[in-house]
Amino acid sequence: MTITTKPSSPLCSLKGSLLTVAALTLLSLFYLSLDSLRTPPPPSLSAAAESTIHVPTDEDYSDVYHSPDSFRLNYAEMERKFKVYIYPDGDPATFYQTPRKLTGKYASEGYFFQNIRESRFRTLDPEEAHLFFVPVSPHKMRGKGTLYEDMTVIVRDYVDGLIAKYPYWNRTLGADHFFVTCHDVGVRAFEGSPVMIKNAIRVVCSPSYNVSFVPHKDVALPQVLQPFALPAGGNDVENRTTLGFWAGHRNSKIRVILARVWENDTELDISNNRINRATGHLVYQKRFYRTKFCICPGGSQVNSARITDSIHYGCVPVILSDYYDLPFNDILNWRKFAVVLRERDVYNLKQILKSIPQSEFVSLHNNLVKVQKHFQWNSPPVKFDAFHMIMYELWLRHHVIKY
């Protein structure tokens, strides 16, 4: 018997071909996937471009900050979004808009007035502003010999004029407005406008708890005596052989006690007056380089430019000033790079400083070097400098304003 084979149908041949193609496709995709795991994708930026991008390291956000992660994230958001409107009113040739000068112990006020105009944060559109800057400068008034009584009238009339002319004050009763002053008389000058004292953010160099300073509303402005006479110190602990140093006027109770108790001590270098320039060139500044701990008592106000001098020259500051809301206190952990004491501790000052182990001093000194950039003004401003830290403080406060 002859067996005949039935030829396969065209449909079956087509199905077989499709299955073969599908199997080959899956196999190809499998090998391509393996290859992509072995070979990194091509870079989206050239090596030269990548080298210009600063990637923050753990060193940038060390334990000198209360919350390093929060600081990193909030700072980046601030740089992207924060906008400030500067009221254009007021003649720059008188008391408004521009700084008096960028030198001396009130330079911080001048630098802020200049930096805000140089920065990315300024907007010419008030509708997109988060905060409003009231650009009246008591330091310029002081420079022109304006009497205190006249200052209060000038400030009052200027603020009242802004309130009447623009709609922005009344949205929050001034809670989204701020002013900046470093001169001692500046805070008093704004007493002519009680609504500014009560409602607006005060950025001041004399942030004392016992004179109506409100830490969660107001901002402590670091008093920086620029330009610095000598380069920054740091990473030089082996050269620091003097235990403690202070020299200055006895213009406060704590300074009088400090001088009386320790002036003749052999381990603490305490002078009952400023060092006479006749003794040599920059003798005062050079002593910061040789000292481990620089004593910073409050003067006529709670603040002192000696604190930022100490930070700049790498000398661990010893804060002897009650009621002082230290600059950037809600961002920086001052106890990581300074010794913070009560004024009554002055009687035990030497014992306290001598009890600090060398290893702890080295840690304080090293951390001090990390924060130096935060207490330096620049023109134009530089990332993480004093201007940006003040802007960060303002950025934090704008979040609590209710519209």
Side-chain angles (χ1 to χ4, degrees):
M1 182 170 64
T2 307
I3 300 175
T4 60
T5 23
K6 192 176 179 181
S8 60
S9 70
L11 183 61
C12 290
S13 300
L14 179 62
K15 284 182 179 179
S17 300
L18 288 173
L19 285 172
T20 303
V21 170
L24 290 171
T25 302
L26 285 173
L27 203 59
S28 300
L29 288 173
F30 174 73
Y31 280 109
L32 284 171
S33 299
L34 285 179
D35 187 59
S36 69
L37 289 175
R38 290 191 299 267
T39 308
S44 57
L45 292 172
S46 67
E50 286 183 337
S51 67
T52 64
I53 298 176
H54 172 70
V55 180
T57 64
D58 292 339
E59 183 73 9
D60 293 326
Y61 304 102
S62 65
D63 60 358
V64 296
Y65 305 96
H66 289 299
S67 179
D69 290 338
S70 296
F71 177 65
R72 181 179 66 252
L73 295 173
N74 288 332
Y75 187 98
E77 184 183 27
M78 173 198 74
E79 287 195 308
R80 291 194 308 272
K81 298 181 179 179
F82 196 20
K83 295 298 178 185
V84 171
Y85 180 74
I86 306 173
Y87 281 110
D89 303 62
D91 183 0
T94 57
F95 316 123
Y96 311 97
Q97 303 297 338
T98 56
R100 175 185 170 190
K101 58 180 182 178
L102 303 182
T103 58
K105 61 181 181 178
Y106 303 115
S108 293
E109 178 180 318
Y111 267 105
F112 186 90
F113 271 72
Q114 178 149 315
N115 284 173
I116 189 67
R117 295 177 177 280
E118 300 171 317
S119 74
R120 71 177 72 184
F121 303 112
R122 184 187 183 187
T123 178
L124 299 179
D125 180 5
E127 295 300 331
E128 71 170 7
H130 299 96
L131 293 180
F132 295 79
F133 178 38
V134 179
V136 55
S137 171
H139 192 207
K140 291 180 79 172
M141 296 184 202
R142 188 73 170 182
K144 294 180 180 294
T146 309
L147 297 176
Y148 161 68
E149 293 77 11
D150 296 332
M151 289 186 188
T152 60
V153 175
I154 292 169
V155 170
R156 182 197 65 202
D157 291 348
Y158 183 72
V159 173
D160 287 350
L162 297 180
I163 294 174
K165 183 177 179 180
Y166 299 94
Y168 309 111
W169 176 279
N170 291 325
R171 296 189 308 185
T172 64
L173 295 179
D176 56 357
H177 287 55
F178 71 94
F179 68 88
V180 176
T181 180
C182 191
H183 201 290
D184 301 347
V185 78
V187 177
R188 295 173 59 205
F190 275 89
E191 291 173 355
S193 179
V195 291
M196 287 291 287
I197 298 295
K198 179 182 178 182
N199 298 344
I201 301 169
R202 300 188 298 166
V203 184
V204 296
C205 280
S206 51
S208 177
Y209 296 135
N210 61 349
V211 289
S212 304
F213 181 85
V214 183
H216 67 270
K217 176 179 80 73
D218 301 328
V219 176
L221 180 67
Q223 186 176 11
V224 185
L225 182 59
Q226 285 191 216
F228 293 109
L230 293 170
N235 303 313
D236 53 3
V237 293
E238 65 281 354
N239 299 329
R240 299 181 179 275
T241 54
T242 302
L243 178 64
F245 166 62
W246 176 78
H249 291 316
R250 294 189 299 170
N251 57 350
S252 66
K253 182 179 178 181
I254 182 60
R255 292 187 177 194
V256 170
I257 297 172
L258 176 66
R260 188 181 70 234
V261 175
W262 299 109
E263 184 179 11
N264 298 315
D265 191 84
T266 57
E267 295 178 273
L268 293 177
D269 183 4
I270 306 297
S271 300
N272 192 12
N273 214 323
R274 290 188 178 177
I275 297 174
N276 193 324
R277 292 182 181 179
T279 59
H281 184 58
L282 300 176
V283 171
Y284 173 76
Q285 289 83 355
K286 290 175 182 177
R287 290 199 190 179
F288 284 90
Y289 287 137
R290 302 198 305 264
T291 307
K292 296 172 69 174
F293 300 100
C294 287
I295 319 304
C296 302
S300 57
Q301 301 290 330
V302 292
N303 56 295
S304 169
R306 186 172 283 99
I307 296 175
T308 50
D309 280 347
S310 301
I311 293 172
H312 174 76
Y313 293 119
C315 183
V316 175
V318 179
I319 313 299
L320 269 177
S321 185
D322 295 344
Y323 308 112
Y324 186 14
D325 186 61
L326 292 162
F328 319 135
N329 196 31
D330 50 351
I331 305 167
L332 302 177
N333 185 349
W334 275 76
R335 296 185 184 277
K336 294 290 187 178
F337 59 90
V339 178
V340 183
L341 303 177
R342 297 160 297 186
E343 289 183 4
R344 67 172 182 255
D345 292 326
V346 66
Y347 298 100
N348 301 313
L349 181 60
K350 185 167 79 168
Q351 293 88 331
I352 292 171
L353 297 182
K354 292 188 72 172
S355 70
I356 297 174
Q358 178 68 9
S359 59
E360 184 178 342
F361 162 68
V362 171
S363 177
L364 290 168
H365 175 84
N366 291 340
N367 286 336
L368 187 68
V369 174
K370 295 176 185 177
V371 302
Q372 283 175 333
K373 59 181 175 287
H374 297 321
F375 296 89
Q376 169 80 46
W377 293 93
N378 302 282
S379 181
V382 175
K383 188 172 183 176
F384 294 121
D385 68 359
F387 171 74
H388 281 86
M389 294 295 283
I390 291 296
M391 294 304 292
Y392 181 74
E393 290 276 24
L394 291 168
W395 171 250
L396 294 180
R397 280 153 181 76
H398 107 273
H399 285 293
V400 301
I401 297 169
K402 304 296 183 185
Y403 290 90

